[in-house]
Amino acid sequence: MKKCNYKFYILVFAFIFLGLNINSKVTASSNPFNDESNQSEERREQTGSNEQSSQEEQEEEQAGQRNYIFFQSERDGNLDIYRMQEDGRWIKNITRTKVALETDFSLSPDGKFIVFWSNRKNKDYILRTDINGKRTVFLTRGLCFDGDPKWSPDGKLVVYVSNRDGNHEIYLMHSDGTNPRRLTDHSAIDNSPVWSPGGANIAFISNRNGTKNIYVMNRVGSNLRNISNARGNDFLPSWSFDGTRIV
């Protein structure tokens, strides 16, 4: 009888031990404070974050390989510069300012950057940014009016308008904002510069003869000539693709 009782207690003890062991494993696997569970969750979250970051980097890397249309819009409350794919998708606000106006932009010949005018900080600036809007630099200092920038066909220079010397004249600077120099020097108002397709000449508007006419000069400011000689006012000159005509 005692021998039977001894075996009975051994069996009861074995069942209790096995039950406790199984319960501890179940509890550990479902415990939100379990280290292994948390590490696994962190790995999943980190993987998801890395995948999202990698996707964004890949999209930005491919940005220069897509065909984009650049435009101005007030759809976000103020005037900014946008880009979109040629099918109307992937619309992106490049300048993303809440109160400043951004306009008069010019695309670089390689399609990777734009220069534009802005009144950030209540001053007139010319800025440059990449087509993702992430590398923005000030090309002028905002001490006067600087605007209407146009990228040269070779991508090395930017022609623009400034009144830093008392009235609106045509200026030239390197595309990084260095070495600014004046091309016109007249008491009249000169504006609306535009490069010829080959980059040898610049057309612009001036009222130096009493009305606004179209003038042309070379890229260093010499060989100036009035090519419209109109009695009325002329605006917004544009070169033909071969550079032989201006409309």
Side-chain angles (χ1 to χ4, degrees):
M1 188 71 176
K2 292 181 179 180
K3 190 173 183 181
C4 292
N5 289 339
Y6 174 73
K7 291 181 178 181
F8 173 77
Y9 288 123
I10 291 176
L11 290 173
V12 171
F13 178 77
F15 280 121
I16 293 173
F17 176 78
L18 290 173
L20 289 174
N21 191 32
I22 292 171
N23 186 55
S24 64
K25 289 182 178 179
V26 172
T27 303
S29 63
S30 60
N31 186 359
F33 301 100
N34 180 267
D35 290 340
E36 293 183 0
S37 176
N38 286 342
Q39 290 174 3
S40 177
E41 187 67 26
E42 287 176 0
R43 283 195 294 270
R44 286 195 296 271
E45 291 178 356
Q46 186 175 5
T47 301
S49 176
N50 290 341
E51 288 177 355
Q52 183 178 358
S53 177
S54 177
Q55 184 179 357
E56 291 176 354
E57 291 175 359
Q58 187 177 10
E59 290 173 358
E60 291 179 1
E61 186 176 339
Q62 293 174 351
Q65 304 171 8
R66 295 193 177 98
N67 293 323
Y68 284 111
I69 297 172
F70 295 84
F71 63 100
Q72 298 172 185
S73 177
E74 295 179 332
R75 62 183 63 198
D76 291 329
N78 63 298
L79 191 61
D80 278 309
I81 301 169
Y82 291 74
R83 74 164 201 234
M84 65 179 173
Q85 285 189 177
E86 53 190 347
D87 59 2
R89 297 184 300 135
W90 289 63
I91 297 176
K92 181 180 178 66
N93 186 338
I94 298 175
T95 49
R96 298 190 305 273
T97 52
K98 294 182 179 179
V99 293
L101 302 178
E102 323 276 6
T103 185
D104 291 340
F105 67 90
S106 175
L107 184 66
S108 63
D110 61 7
K112 295 181 179 179
F113 297 90
I114 62 169
V115 288
F116 60 97
W117 170 86
S118 174
N119 66 348
R120 299 182 186 189
K121 303 177 183 179
N122 294 319
K123 296 181 179 181
D124 295 291
Y125 293 99
I126 295 176
L127 295 90
R128 184 190 71 219
T129 189
D130 63 273
I131 61 173
N132 294 309
K134 291 196 172 182
R135 289 181 288 172
T136 302
V137 295
F138 288 78
L139 299 185
T140 59
R141 296 184 295 172
L143 302 178
C144 56
F145 171 81
D146 296 309
D148 203 8
K150 297 293 188 304
W151 223 300
S152 65
D154 62 6
K156 296 179 180 180
L157 301 169
V158 174
V159 66
Y160 62 104
V161 177
S162 178
N163 66 354
R164 63 186 61 189
D165 291 317
N167 65 303
H168 286 68
E169 304 279 6
I170 309 299
Y171 283 74
L172 195 68
M173 64 179 167
H174 291 163
S175 60
D176 61 358
T178 60
N179 195 27
R181 55 195 184 277
R182 185 169 62 184
L183 297 183
T184 60
D185 188 3
H186 198 278
S187 58
I189 296 176
D190 301 327
N191 54 31
S192 303
V194 56
W195 290 92
S196 64
N201 296 301
I202 298 170
F204 65 97
I205 299 295
S206 178
N207 66 349
R208 61 186 63 195
N209 284 345
T211 58
K212 295 180 179 179
N213 286 169
I214 300 174
Y215 289 75
V216 172
M217 62 183 171
N218 61 28
R219 64 191 295 164
V220 296
S222 60
N223 195 23
L224 178 68
R225 56 202 185 274
N226 185 340
I227 64 169
S228 63
N229 287 301
R231 293 183 179 179
N233 292 320
D234 302 319
F235 302 94
L236 302 175
S238 179
W239 292 85
S240 62
F241 288 113
D242 60 4
T244 61
R245 295 178 175 86
I246 295 177
V247 296

